[in-house]
Structure formats: structure tokens, C-alpha cells
Amino acid sequence: MITFIPLTGFLGAGKTTTMTAAALALQEQGRKVAVITNDQGVELVDTKLVRSKLDSVAEVTGGCFCCKFEDLVEAVVALVASDGVDTVIAEAVGSCTDLQATVVRPLRQYYGDDMVVAPLTTVVDPLRHLAFARAAERGEPESDLSYLFRQQVTEADVIAVNKLDTIKAERAEELLASLRTSNPKATVVGYSATTGSHLETLLDAWQAPATNEDVVLDIDYDRYAAAEAQLAWMNQELDLTAAAGDGFDATAWARTVLQELSTWATEHDAVIGHAKITVETADGDFAKLSLTESGAQPTLDRAADAHAPAGRAVVNARIACEPDALDAAVTEAVEAADLATAVTSTATTPVSFKPSYPRPVHRLAPAGA
């Protein structure tokens, strides 16, 4: 019997870090774990990082799980057949919701004889949650992005508040208590995927029965599509060549690009869902950095060990702006990084887009509804 663990959550919540840390912890318990990443684009920064830590990794690209249901099932079947896994953790793209109806229930109905579907887990960034909450307290109209975030939390069996190491302990306790009060059917846990603190509470929650499986979201698909449409999506590849004989610093190059993007987003009042960069050097080493808030400093997820003569960069950026504006911002950021780190870069793929949002393939109501 295969255990399938579905993760959802807004952009930048730390789903990939959570998925990787949980997979490693489950492997220590003797489980054979595979993971599946998901994105609207086709070149994923997260997949590179996950493959550096785990053996069994698959992708579902070109759309979210709810619209790529058959692709998700095929990925699970392939992982089980080729790697003999008994546990699959899958993270949905950060702009997706309604997974209870479009993924969890269909999996239980069509594949319940071969698969146990764990409670649907929504990973939450506490700072993002507090920002949306403050806007509501000020009486601001609910934005389409906030609407999407609220739906993700509402449908959760488990609300997993990540990054608790980034806020004060008393604020963390207040946030967890508030979420428990406003979401009485959900199990609320707090942890840090980066440090591993209290990660075991999340693993324990996955062993418990689902508590919110009968939830029915009244999805406004026009607002859902509008939330998607607010975000420009960039999946870009670049070839990097050192201008000096001693090579270039891949970590410094990526950090400079993200610092420039952070400044640009602040100046243009553009909400950053996330921006991520990997740079793989000619010798196979790589750096990975990420950014989830305008005005913030990039987070270092992995540093390259040494300078290199050449490399290949992948940029994934999800920012609330027009695609042309994101293209121009990234171009300027790359030029600044090239100058600062003595690099010559050449973009090798198309740039930004705004994905269309088709209706889900399957959408099932709860039994008896």
C-alpha cells in the first residue's frame, strides 16, 4: 500500500524545504520516499535542489495538479515501479487550491485500494499570513491573492505553519492559537523546515485521520483566474561565462540578481510570490538562493564551493506585475550581477508569461453531499 502525502500552500511558504526535510526524516524511519514537484513552467529550480538530497524525484510541469491529474497519477505509478517507493510526497504549485475536490477525493475514490491519501497539508509562511491579516484588519478589500491564500487554509486538514524561527515565540503562539480558533476542523502545527525544530509534529499529523475531508469550497473561478493573472511567471535559463581567468562566484552572482529584484519590487510596489535561482557550475556544483518578500535579503539554500569558469543559471520568478515589467527587471538585475561578479551572461530560453487557468479535470463532492 502506497502512502500519498499532498502539500499545498502559497508561493514562498517553504513547501519544497518542508517536503525535503520530511522525506529525509521519514527515510530515517525506514520508509522509501519519493517526492513530486509541480509548476506552471517546465524548468524548475526546486527540482535541482531536491535531487541533490533525494534519490527519487519526479516533476509535473505545465500546470497544477488539479489540471494535470493524470500526469500526477502517472508520476506516482512510475516512481513506485522504478524505485520501489512506499511513500510519495507531492507539492502543488503555490497558486493552486481546491485540492480536496480535485486531487484528494479523486485519488481516494479511484485508487483507494492501492493508496492511502494522508491529510491534505497547507504550508503557511507566518509573515505572509500576518500581512494578509493586517490588511483585513485595516478594512482593505480582500485582494484576489488573499482570496486564494484563504481558500488554501480553509480546505486544509493540517495547517503547517513553517518558519517559526523567523518570528518571536509569543507571536508564534498567538498565531497558532488564532488559526486553531478560526479553523476548528484542522490540525495546526508549527515548526521550522530549515532547522528541523518540531518537524516531528508534522509527521505525526500525517499519521492521523483526515479531519476536514468533507469541506466544500465555494470557488469563484473568476477570482481564482484573476489571482493567477496577477502574477507574471518567469522560467528562464542563462549561460554564464567568467570574464576573468580565476572564474566567477556563482553564489554571489545569484545573490546580486535577487537583491536587485528585491529592490525593484519595493520601488514598484510589486508583491513577490517567490523568486529562486540555481546556478550549476561546469564541475557539477551548484548554488541555490531564494526570495519571498520585496525589500528582503535573499535566503541562501545552498552555496557553490568554489569559483568556476562557466555555469548555467535557472531563474524562477513569480511576481505580481506585467510580464514585460518582470522581463525588464530581471534583465537589469542580471546586468548588475554580471558587472559585479565579472560574468558574461546569455539568456537561452523564452521569458515571462501569465498562465491560463483551465478548469480541473476531476472535481468530486464529499461522499453523501
Side-chain angles (χ1 to χ4, degrees), residues 83-116:
D83 296 341
V85 304
D86 56 39
T87 304
V88 177
I89 309 175
E91 58 155 343
V93 63
S95 57
C96 189
T97 191
D98 206 22
L99 288 176
Q100 291 276 17
T102 62
V103 175
V104 173
R105 287 179 199 134
L107 284 176
R108 287 178 178 148
Q109 176 166 324
Y110 303 140
Y111 302 97
D113 291 341
D114 303 305
M115 177 187 298
V116 174

PDB file of all heavy atoms in Angstrom, residues 83-116:
ATOM      1  N   ASP A  83      11.425   2.742  -8.584  1.00  0.00           N
ATOM      2  CA  ASP A  83      12.224   2.910  -7.364  1.00  0.00           C
ATOM      3  C   ASP A  83      11.695   2.130  -6.172  1.00  0.00           C
ATOM      4  O   ASP A  83      12.307   2.136  -5.103  1.00  0.00           O
ATOM      5  CB  ASP A  83      12.308   4.396  -6.996  1.00  0.00           C
ATOM      6  CG  ASP A  83      13.046   5.217  -8.050  1.00  0.00           C
ATOM      7  OD1 ASP A  83      13.781   4.615  -8.850  1.00  0.00           O
ATOM      8  OD2 ASP A  83      12.881   6.449  -8.063  1.00  0.00           O
ATOM      9  N   GLY A  84      10.550   1.484  -6.313  1.00  0.00           N
ATOM     10  CA  GLY A  84      10.009   0.697  -5.219  1.00  0.00           C
ATOM     11  C   GLY A  84       9.644   1.497  -3.994  1.00  0.00           C
ATOM     12  O   GLY A  84       9.768   1.025  -2.870  1.00  0.00           O
ATOM     13  N   VAL A  85       9.158   2.713  -4.185  1.00  0.00           N
ATOM     14  CA  VAL A  85       8.854   3.584  -3.051  1.00  0.00           C
ATOM     15  C   VAL A  85       7.564   3.147  -2.375  1.00  0.00           C
ATOM     16  O   VAL A  85       6.690   2.521  -2.992  1.00  0.00           O
ATOM     17  CB  VAL A  85       8.747   5.061  -3.482  1.00  0.00           C
ATOM     18  CG1 VAL A  85      10.011   5.512  -4.190  1.00  0.00           C
ATOM     19  CG2 VAL A  85       7.540   5.287  -4.369  1.00  0.00           C
ATOM     20  N   ASP A  86       7.430   3.469  -1.095  1.00  0.00           N
ATOM     21  CA  ASP A  86       6.186   3.214  -0.383  1.00  0.00           C
ATOM     22  C   ASP A  86       5.512   4.499   0.086  1.00  0.00           C
ATOM     23  O   ASP A  86       4.412   4.468   0.619  1.00  0.00           O
ATOM     24  CB  ASP A  86       6.416   2.284   0.812  1.00  0.00           C
ATOM     25  CG  ASP A  86       7.461   2.804   1.796  1.00  0.00           C
ATOM     26  OD1 ASP A  86       7.501   4.034   2.045  1.00  0.00           O
ATOM     27  OD2 ASP A  86       8.250   1.999   2.307  1.00  0.00           O
ATOM     28  N   THR A  87       6.184   5.639  -0.101  1.00  0.00           N
ATOM     29  CA  THR A  87       5.643   6.934   0.322  1.00  0.00           C
ATOM     30  C   THR A  87       5.968   7.980  -0.730  1.00  0.00           C
ATOM     31  O   THR A  87       7.128   8.083  -1.172  1.00  0.00           O
ATOM     32  CB  THR A  87       6.243   7.381   1.666  1.00  0.00           C
ATOM     33  OG1 THR A  87       6.013   6.361   2.643  1.00  0.00           O
ATOM     34  CG2 THR A  87       5.622   8.689   2.138  1.00  0.00           C
ATOM     35  N   VAL A  88       4.975   8.756  -1.145  1.00  0.00           N
ATOM     36  CA  VAL A  88       5.169   9.836  -2.118  1.00  0.00           C
ATOM     37  C   VAL A  88       4.663  11.131  -1.511  1.00  0.00           C
ATOM     38  O   VAL A  88       3.505  11.210  -1.079  1.00  0.00           O
ATOM     39  CB  VAL A  88       4.430   9.558  -3.440  1.00  0.00           C
ATOM     40  CG1 VAL A  88       4.592  10.737  -4.401  1.00  0.00           C
ATOM     41  CG2 VAL A  88       4.926   8.274  -4.092  1.00  0.00           C
ATOM     42  N   ILE A  89       5.519  12.147  -1.455  1.00  0.00           N
ATOM     43  CA  ILE A  89       5.114  13.492  -1.026  1.00  0.00           C
ATOM     44  C   ILE A  89       5.062  14.371  -2.268  1.00  0.00           C
ATOM     45  O   ILE A  89       6.034  14.412  -3.044  1.00  0.00           O
ATOM     46  CB  ILE A  89       6.097  14.091  -0.008  1.00  0.00           C
ATOM     47  CG1 ILE A  89       6.350  13.120   1.151  1.00  0.00           C
ATOM     48  CG2 ILE A  89       5.561  15.408   0.530  1.00  0.00           C
ATOM     49  CD1 ILE A  89       7.406  13.605   2.129  1.00  0.00           C
ATOM     50  N   ALA A  90       3.961  15.063  -2.476  1.00  0.00           N
ATOM     51  CA  ALA A  90       3.801  15.885  -3.673  1.00  0.00           C
ATOM     52  C   ALA A  90       3.390  17.299  -3.274  1.00  0.00           C
ATOM     53  O   ALA A  90       2.444  17.476  -2.491  1.00  0.00           O
ATOM     54  CB  ALA A  90       2.752  15.279  -4.599  1.00  0.00           C
ATOM     55  N   GLU A  91       4.091  18.286  -3.801  1.00  0.00           N
ATOM     56  CA  GLU A  91       3.782  19.688  -3.504  1.00  0.00           C
ATOM     57  C   GLU A  91       3.138  20.350  -4.711  1.00  0.00           C
ATOM     58  O   GLU A  91       3.699  20.358  -5.800  1.00  0.00           O
ATOM     59  CB  GLU A  91       5.046  20.453  -3.091  1.00  0.00           C
ATOM     60  CG  GLU A  91       6.165  20.446  -4.107  1.00  0.00           C
ATOM     61  CD  GLU A  91       7.093  21.644  -3.974  1.00  0.00           C
ATOM     62  OE1 GLU A  91       6.706  22.629  -3.337  1.00  0.00           O
ATOM     63  OE2 GLU A  91       8.189  21.580  -4.546  1.00  0.00           O
ATOM     64  N   ALA A  92       1.947  20.882  -4.525  1.00  0.00           N
ATOM     65  CA  ALA A  92       1.253  21.582  -5.599  1.00  0.00           C
ATOM     66  C   ALA A  92       1.846  22.967  -5.795  1.00  0.00           C
ATOM     67  O   ALA A  92       2.365  23.587  -4.860  1.00  0.00           O
ATOM     68  CB  ALA A  92      -0.231  21.694  -5.273  1.00  0.00           C
ATOM     69  N   VAL A  93       1.747  23.466  -7.007  1.00  0.00           N
ATOM     70  CA  VAL A  93       2.204  24.817  -7.306  1.00  0.00           C
ATOM     71  C   VAL A  93       1.506  25.808  -6.370  1.00  0.00           C
ATOM     72  O   VAL A  93       0.357  25.618  -5.973  1.00  0.00           O
ATOM     73  CB  VAL A  93       1.934  25.149  -8.785  1.00  0.00           C
ATOM     74  CG1 VAL A  93       0.454  25.131  -9.095  1.00  0.00           C
ATOM     75  CG2 VAL A  93       2.525  26.494  -9.171  1.00  0.00           C
ATOM     76  N   GLY A  94       2.220  26.877  -5.992  1.00  0.00           N
ATOM     77  CA  GLY A  94       1.757  27.775  -4.943  1.00  0.00           C
ATOM     78  C   GLY A  94       0.536  28.608  -5.254  1.00  0.00           C
ATOM     79  O   GLY A  94       0.003  29.266  -4.357  1.00  0.00           O
ATOM     80  N   SER A  95       0.057  28.583  -6.490  1.00  0.00           N
ATOM     81  CA  SER A  95      -1.150  29.338  -6.829  1.00  0.00           C
ATOM     82  C   SER A  95      -2.352  28.419  -6.993  1.00  0.00           C
ATOM     83  O   SER A  95      -3.347  28.796  -7.607  1.00  0.00           O
ATOM     84  CB  SER A  95      -0.925  30.130  -8.125  1.00  0.00           C
ATOM     85  OG  SER A  95      -0.560  29.248  -9.181  1.00  0.00           O
ATOM     86  N   CYS A  96      -2.270  27.218  -6.433  1.00  0.00           N
ATOM     87  CA  CYS A  96      -3.328  26.217  -6.600  1.00  0.00           C
ATOM     88  C   CYS A  96      -4.158  26.092  -5.327  1.00  0.00           C
ATOM     89  O   CYS A  96      -3.650  26.237  -4.214  1.00  0.00           O
ATOM     90  CB  CYS A  96      -2.690  24.864  -6.935  1.00  0.00           C
ATOM     91  SG  CYS A  96      -3.879  23.595  -7.416  1.00  0.00           S
ATOM     92  N   THR A  97      -5.449  25.821  -5.481  1.00  0.00           N
ATOM     93  CA  THR A  97      -6.315  25.493  -4.356  1.00  0.00           C
ATOM     94  C   THR A  97      -7.402  24.556  -4.837  1.00  0.00           C
ATOM     95  O   THR A  97      -7.400  24.112  -5.991  1.00  0.00           O
ATOM     96  CB  THR A  97      -6.913  26.763  -3.712  1.00  0.00           C
ATOM     97  OG1 THR A  97      -7.538  26.411  -2.479  1.00  0.00           O
ATOM     98  CG2 THR A  97      -7.903  27.450  -4.630  1.00  0.00           C
ATOM     99  N   ASP A  98      -8.349  24.208  -3.959  1.00  0.00           N
ATOM    100  CA  ASP A  98      -9.418  23.261  -4.237  1.00  0.00           C
ATOM    101  C   ASP A  98      -8.873  21.846  -4.451  1.00  0.00           C
ATOM    102  O   ASP A  98      -9.464  21.054  -5.192  1.00  0.00           O
ATOM    103  CB  ASP A  98     -10.246  23.703  -5.441  1.00  0.00           C
ATOM    104  CG  ASP A  98     -11.672  23.156  -5.409  1.00  0.00           C
ATOM    105  OD1 ASP A  98     -12.149  22.796  -4.314  1.00  0.00           O
ATOM    106  OD2 ASP A  98     -12.304  23.065  -6.477  1.00  0.00           O
ATOM    107  N   LEU A  99      -7.796  21.504  -3.764  1.00  0.00           N
ATOM    108  CA  LEU A  99      -7.175  20.194  -3.942  1.00  0.00           C
ATOM    109  C   LEU A  99      -7.977  19.069  -3.293  1.00  0.00           C
ATOM    110  O   LEU A  99      -7.872  17.916  -3.725  1.00  0.00           O
ATOM    111  CB  LEU A  99      -5.756  20.204  -3.386  1.00  0.00           C
ATOM    112  CG  LEU A  99      -4.731  20.992  -4.211  1.00  0.00           C
ATOM    113  CD1 LEU A  99      -3.384  21.001  -3.507  1.00  0.00           C
ATOM    114  CD2 LEU A  99      -4.576  20.404  -5.598  1.00  0.00           C
ATOM    115  N   GLN A 100      -8.755  19.369  -2.256  1.00  0.00           N
ATOM    116  CA  GLN A 100      -9.597  18.318  -1.681  1.00  0.00           C
ATOM    117  C   GLN A 100     -10.526  17.745  -2.757  1.00  0.00           C
ATOM    118  O   GLN A 100     -10.681  16.519  -2.876  1.00  0.00           O
ATOM    119  CB  GLN A 100     -10.434  18.864  -0.514  1.00  0.00           C
ATOM    120  CG  GLN A 100      -9.663  19.234   0.731  1.00  0.00           C
ATOM    121  CD  GLN A 100      -9.380  18.047   1.655  1.00  0.00           C
ATOM    122  OE1 GLN A 100      -9.478  16.902   1.239  1.00  0.00           O
ATOM    123  NE2 GLN A 100      -9.008  18.319   2.892  1.00  0.00           N
ATOM    124  N   ALA A 101     -11.134  18.637  -3.532  1.00  0.00           N
ATOM    125  CA  ALA A 101     -12.119  18.200  -4.522  1.00  0.00           C
ATOM    126  C   ALA A 101     -11.491  17.672  -5.801  1.00  0.00           C
ATOM    127  O   ALA A 101     -12.042  16.777  -6.443  1.00  0.00           O
ATOM    128  CB  ALA A 101     -13.070  19.357  -4.851  1.00  0.00           C
ATOM    129  N   THR A 102     -10.331  18.214  -6.173  1.00  0.00           N
ATOM    130  CA  THR A 102      -9.777  17.894  -7.492  1.00  0.00           C
ATOM    131  C   THR A 102      -8.634  16.883  -7.468  1.00  0.00           C
ATOM    132  O   THR A 102      -8.285  16.332  -8.504  1.00  0.00           O
ATOM    133  CB  THR A 102      -9.268  19.177  -8.174  1.00  0.00           C
ATOM    134  OG1 THR A 102      -8.216  19.753  -7.370  1.00  0.00           O
ATOM    135  CG2 THR A 102     -10.382  20.192  -8.350  1.00  0.00           C
ATOM    136  N   VAL A 103      -8.062  16.637  -6.290  1.00  0.00           N
ATOM    137  CA  VAL A 103      -6.951  15.689  -6.190  1.00  0.00           C
ATOM    138  C   VAL A 103      -7.199  14.647  -5.099  1.00  0.00           C
ATOM    139  O   VAL A 103      -7.161  13.444  -5.354  1.00  0.00           O
ATOM    140  CB  VAL A 103      -5.615  16.417  -5.933  1.00  0.00           C
ATOM    141  CG1 VAL A 103      -4.482  15.412  -5.708  1.00  0.00           C
ATOM    142  CG2 VAL A 103      -5.266  17.329  -7.104  1.00  0.00           C
ATOM    143  N   VAL A 104      -7.462  15.100  -3.873  1.00  0.00           N
ATOM    144  CA  VAL A 104      -7.545  14.181  -2.739  1.00  0.00           C
ATOM    145  C   VAL A 104      -8.729  13.214  -2.895  1.00  0.00           C
ATOM    146  O   VAL A 104      -8.564  11.988  -2.804  1.00  0.00           O
ATOM    147  CB  VAL A 104      -7.642  14.963  -1.417  1.00  0.00           C
ATOM    148  CG1 VAL A 104      -7.907  14.024  -0.251  1.00  0.00           C
ATOM    149  CG2 VAL A 104      -6.351  15.761  -1.181  1.00  0.00           C
ATOM    150  N   ARG A 105      -9.930  13.737  -3.116  1.00  0.00           N
ATOM    151  CA  ARG A 105     -11.087  12.848  -3.250  1.00  0.00           C
ATOM    152  C   ARG A 105     -10.993  11.944  -4.478  1.00  0.00           C
ATOM    153  O   ARG A 105     -11.296  10.738  -4.374  1.00  0.00           O
ATOM    154  CB  ARG A 105     -12.371  13.686  -3.285  1.00  0.00           C
ATOM    155  CG  ARG A 105     -12.731  14.277  -1.938  1.00  0.00           C
ATOM    156  CD  ARG A 105     -13.990  15.124  -1.997  1.00  0.00           C
ATOM    157  NE  ARG A 105     -14.054  16.008  -0.844  1.00  0.00           N
ATOM    158  CZ  ARG A 105     -14.349  17.302  -0.892  1.00  0.00           C
ATOM    159  NH1 ARG A 105     -14.639  17.883  -2.033  1.00  0.00           N
ATOM    160  NH2 ARG A 105     -14.373  18.017   0.214  1.00  0.00           N
ATOM    161  N   PRO A 106     -10.596  12.457  -5.646  1.00  0.00           N
ATOM    162  CA  PRO A 106     -10.431  11.540  -6.784  1.00  0.00           C
ATOM    163  C   PRO A 106      -9.407  10.434  -6.532  1.00  0.00           C
ATOM    164  O   PRO A 106      -9.636   9.278  -6.919  1.00  0.00           O
ATOM    165  CB  PRO A 106      -9.985  12.474  -7.917  1.00  0.00           C
ATOM    166  CG  PRO A 106     -10.591  13.785  -7.570  1.00  0.00           C
ATOM    167  CD  PRO A 106     -10.500  13.863  -6.069  1.00  0.00           C
ATOM    168  N   LEU A 107      -8.302  10.761  -5.870  1.00  0.00           N
ATOM    169  CA  LEU A 107      -7.325   9.718  -5.572  1.00  0.00           C
ATOM    170  C   LEU A 107      -7.928   8.662  -4.651  1.00  0.00           C
ATOM    171  O   LEU A 107      -7.736   7.447  -4.867  1.00  0.00           O
ATOM    172  CB  LEU A 107      -6.079  10.320  -4.927  1.00  0.00           C
ATOM    173  CG  LEU A 107      -5.108  11.061  -5.853  1.00  0.00           C
ATOM    174  CD1 LEU A 107      -3.980  11.684  -5.040  1.00  0.00           C
ATOM    175  CD2 LEU A 107      -4.538  10.132  -6.923  1.00  0.00           C
ATOM    176  N   ARG A 108      -8.652   9.100  -3.641  1.00  0.00           N
ATOM    177  CA  ARG A 108      -9.257   8.132  -2.715  1.00  0.00           C
ATOM    178  C   ARG A 108     -10.332   7.294  -3.401  1.00  0.00           C
ATOM    179  O   ARG A 108     -10.462   6.091  -3.142  1.00  0.00           O
ATOM    180  CB  ARG A 108      -9.839   8.871  -1.507  1.00  0.00           C
ATOM    181  CG  ARG A 108      -8.776   9.400  -0.549  1.00  0.00           C
ATOM    182  CD  ARG A 108      -9.372  10.170   0.619  1.00  0.00           C
ATOM    183  NE  ARG A 108      -8.310  10.619   1.526  1.00  0.00           N
ATOM    184  CZ  ARG A 108      -8.352  11.737   2.239  1.00  0.00           C
ATOM    185  NH1 ARG A 108      -9.414  12.524   2.165  1.00  0.00           N
ATOM    186  NH2 ARG A 108      -7.342  12.069   3.025  1.00  0.00           N
ATOM    187  N   GLN A 109     -11.088   7.913  -4.303  1.00  0.00           N
ATOM    188  CA  GLN A 109     -12.166   7.167  -4.956  1.00  0.00           C
ATOM    189  C   GLN A 109     -11.632   6.188  -5.999  1.00  0.00           C
ATOM    190  O   GLN A 109     -12.061   5.028  -6.042  1.00  0.00           O
ATOM    191  CB  GLN A 109     -13.148   8.134  -5.630  1.00  0.00           C
ATOM    192  CG  GLN A 109     -14.245   7.409  -6.422  1.00  0.00           C
ATOM    193  CD  GLN A 109     -15.388   8.319  -6.807  1.00  0.00           C
ATOM    194  OE1 GLN A 109     -15.763   9.207  -6.043  1.00  0.00           O
ATOM    195  NE2 GLN A 109     -15.960   8.104  -7.980  1.00  0.00           N
ATOM    196  N   TYR A 110     -10.695   6.657  -6.845  1.00  0.00           N
ATOM    197  CA  TYR A 110     -10.244   5.832  -7.960  1.00  0.00           C
ATOM    198  C   TYR A 110      -9.097   4.891  -7.605  1.00  0.00           C
ATOM    199  O   TYR A 110      -8.930   3.859  -8.247  1.00  0.00           O
ATOM    200  CB  TYR A 110      -9.808   6.726  -9.132  1.00  0.00           C
ATOM    201  CG  TYR A 110     -10.884   7.670  -9.625  1.00  0.00           C
ATOM    202  CD1 TYR A 110     -10.579   8.978  -9.983  1.00  0.00           C
ATOM    203  CD2 TYR A 110     -12.218   7.261  -9.737  1.00  0.00           C
ATOM    204  CE1 TYR A 110     -11.560   9.849 -10.436  1.00  0.00           C
ATOM    205  CE2 TYR A 110     -13.197   8.136 -10.185  1.00  0.00           C
ATOM    206  CZ  TYR A 110     -12.864   9.423 -10.534  1.00  0.00           C
ATOM    207  OH  TYR A 110     -13.837  10.277 -10.985  1.00  0.00           O
ATOM    208  N   TYR A 111      -8.312   5.247  -6.586  1.00  0.00           N
ATOM    209  CA  TYR A 111      -7.109   4.470  -6.287  1.00  0.00           C
ATOM    210  C   TYR A 111      -7.022   4.061  -4.817  1.00  0.00           C
ATOM    211  O   TYR A 111      -5.965   3.680  -4.336  1.00  0.00           O
ATOM    212  CB  TYR A 111      -5.858   5.282  -6.664  1.00  0.00           C
ATOM    213  CG  TYR A 111      -5.848   5.672  -8.118  1.00  0.00           C
ATOM    214  CD1 TYR A 111      -6.283   6.938  -8.516  1.00  0.00           C
ATOM    215  CD2 TYR A 111      -5.437   4.779  -9.102  1.00  0.00           C
ATOM    216  CE1 TYR A 111      -6.307   7.299  -9.859  1.00  0.00           C
ATOM    217  CE2 TYR A 111      -5.457   5.133 -10.448  1.00  0.00           C
ATOM    218  CZ  TYR A 111      -5.895   6.394 -10.813  1.00  0.00           C
ATOM    219  OH  TYR A 111      -5.913   6.741 -12.139  1.00  0.00           O
ATOM    220  N   GLY A 112      -8.172   4.110  -4.130  1.00  0.00           N
ATOM    221  CA  GLY A 112      -8.177   3.833  -2.698  1.00  0.00           C
ATOM    222  C   GLY A 112      -7.770   2.422  -2.319  1.00  0.00           C
ATOM    223  O   GLY A 112      -7.339   2.179  -1.182  1.00  0.00           O
ATOM    224  N   ASP A 113      -7.891   1.474  -3.244  1.00  0.00           N
ATOM    225  CA  ASP A 113      -7.488   0.099  -2.942  1.00  0.00           C
ATOM    226  C   ASP A 113      -5.971  -0.060  -2.896  1.00  0.00           C
ATOM    227  O   ASP A 113      -5.479  -1.031  -2.307  1.00  0.00           O
ATOM    228  CB  ASP A 113      -8.055  -0.861  -3.993  1.00  0.00           C
ATOM    229  CG  ASP A 113      -9.566  -0.990  -3.905  1.00  0.00           C
ATOM    230  OD1 ASP A 113     -10.122  -0.648  -2.842  1.00  0.00           O
ATOM    231  OD2 ASP A 113     -10.187  -1.408  -4.900  1.00  0.00           O
ATOM    232  N   ASP A 114      -5.248   0.875  -3.520  1.00  0.00           N
ATOM    233  CA  ASP A 114      -3.797   0.759  -3.593  1.00  0.00           C
ATOM    234  C   ASP A 114      -3.062   1.901  -2.901  1.00  0.00           C
ATOM    235  O   ASP A 114      -1.834   1.875  -2.812  1.00  0.00           O
ATOM    236  CB  ASP A 114      -3.343   0.727  -5.067  1.00  0.00           C
ATOM    237  CG  ASP A 114      -3.990  -0.399  -5.851  1.00  0.00           C
ATOM    238  OD1 ASP A 114      -3.868  -1.553  -5.402  1.00  0.00           O
ATOM    239  OD2 ASP A 114      -4.634  -0.121  -6.880  1.00  0.00           O
ATOM    240  N   MET A 115      -3.794   2.893  -2.431  1.00  0.00           N
ATOM    241  CA  MET A 115      -3.151   4.112  -1.948  1.00  0.00           C
ATOM    242  C   MET A 115      -3.872   4.662  -0.724  1.00  0.00           C
ATOM    243  O   MET A 115      -5.102   4.761  -0.714  1.00  0.00           O
ATOM    244  CB  MET A 115      -3.146   5.164  -3.064  1.00  0.00           C
ATOM    245  CG  MET A 115      -2.567   6.509  -2.695  1.00  0.00           C
ATOM    246  SD  MET A 115      -2.796   7.717  -4.042  1.00  0.00           S
ATOM    247  CE  MET A 115      -1.866   6.964  -5.369  1.00  0.00           C
ATOM    248  N   VAL A 116      -3.106   5.024   0.286  1.00  0.00           N
ATOM    249  CA  VAL A 116      -3.625   5.778   1.430  1.00  0.00           C
ATOM    250  C   VAL A 116      -3.261   7.240   1.226  1.00  0.00           C
ATOM    251  O   VAL A 116      -2.074   7.575   1.084  1.00  0.00           O
ATOM    252  CB  VAL A 116      -3.030   5.271   2.753  1.00  0.00           C
ATOM    253  CG1 VAL A 116      -3.461   6.169   3.902  1.00  0.00           C
ATOM    254  CG2 VAL A 116      -3.446   3.834   3.014  1.00  0.00           C
TER     255      VAL A 116
END
